[in-house]
């Protein structure tokens, strides 16, 4: 009976280890190009040191009606209003927190010129939940992004 019990415990331990190894995420799994939920932009997430950043690499409407490239016209800093939206670094300083989450980051919304606290959760290899908020995460909005180059 004791051998059978020990065998069961060993088997259970191996199964649990296999599940936890499968669930473990590589912090760099978030790297890549993601389309926002509205389909209006694509953001490339990249790494500098041990932090993660994002930049706009594609816009559904890249130009103004007069044909000139769209710029950051809503930026509260007047000196930045002529900066092109394409290439704009709009996400910064994310740290991998484990359990498929990156937090302590900031996201800039060029639609209104506001900066928000932000966290990201990798739901599956091709789905990223991006939550921007003010103060605490409870008061915010989540956008679901889709990876553009499938893993």
């Amino acid at each position: 009976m004791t051998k059978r019990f020990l065998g069961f415990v060993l088997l259970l331990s191996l199964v649990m280890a296999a599940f936890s190894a499968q669930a473990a995420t590589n912090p760099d799994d978030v790297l890549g190009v993601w389309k926002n939920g509205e389909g209006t932009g694509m953001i490339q997430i990249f790494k500098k040191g041990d932090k993660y950043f994002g930049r706009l690499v594609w816009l559904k409407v890249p130009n103004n009606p007069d044909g000139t490239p769209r710029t950051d016209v809503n930026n509260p800093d007047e000196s930045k209003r002529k900066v092109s939206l394409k290439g704009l670094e709009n996400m910064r300083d994310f740290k991998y927190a484990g359990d498929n989450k990156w937090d302590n980051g900031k996201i800039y919304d060029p639609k209104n010129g506001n900066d928000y606290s932000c966290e990201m959760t990798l739901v599956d290899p091709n789905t990223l939940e991006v939550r921007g908020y003010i103060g605490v995460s409870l008061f915010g909005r989540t956008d679901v992004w889709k990876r553009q180059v499938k893993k």
Side-chain angles (χ1 to χ4, degrees):
M1 183 73 166
T2 305
K3 283 184 180 180
R4 192 175 276 164
F5 178 73
L6 289 175
F8 174 74
V9 170
L10 179 62
L11 179 63
L12 184 62
S13 298
L14 290 172
V15 168
M16 295 298 287
F19 276 118
S20 66
Q22 185 179 24
T25 299
N26 177 339
D28 291 347
D29 284 349
V30 75
L31 300 177
V33 177
W34 301 86
K35 185 180 274 187
N36 68 8
E38 295 176 328
T40 56
M42 289 187 204
I43 295 87
Q44 177 188 26
I45 297 179
F46 60 97
K47 190 174 181 180
K48 287 194 251 180
D50 65 342
K51 293 186 178 180
Y52 296 84
F53 295 77
R55 75 170 62 93
L56 287 164
V57 293
W58 176 86
L59 295 166
K60 185 174 185 177
V61 181
N63 296 323
N64 294 312
D66 66 1
T68 59
R70 288 178 56 202
T71 60
D72 193 10
V73 295
N74 295 316
N75 197 308
D77 181 344
E78 228 176 288
S79 69
K80 295 181 180 178
R81 292 183 183 163
K82 294 200 185 291
V83 172
S84 177
L85 285 181
K86 190 172 180 188
L88 181 72
E89 194 173 285
N90 68 326
M91 300 176 74
R92 65 189 186 281
D93 298 329
F94 288 85
K95 296 272 280 178
Y96 183 63
D99 198 27
N100 301 329
K101 289 187 182 282
W102 292 258
D103 61 15
N104 294 320
K106 294 286 188 180
I107 189 165
Y108 172 73
D109 184 353
K111 284 186 202 170
N112 60 25
N114 290 328
D115 232 11
Y116 300 96
S117 295
C118 189
E119 60 190 27
M120 303 183 289
T121 303
L122 193 63
V123 176
D124 64 48
N126 298 307
T127 307
L128 184 66
E129 289 182 348
V130 179
R131 183 162 186 79
Y133 58 93
I134 297 172
V136 292
S137 179
L138 182 64
F139 303 109
R141 184 176 71 88
T142 300
D143 198 22
V144 178
W145 294 5
K146 292 295 181 179
R147 187 182 299 275
Q148 293 308 289
V149 178
K150 302 290 183 200
K151 276 192 139 188

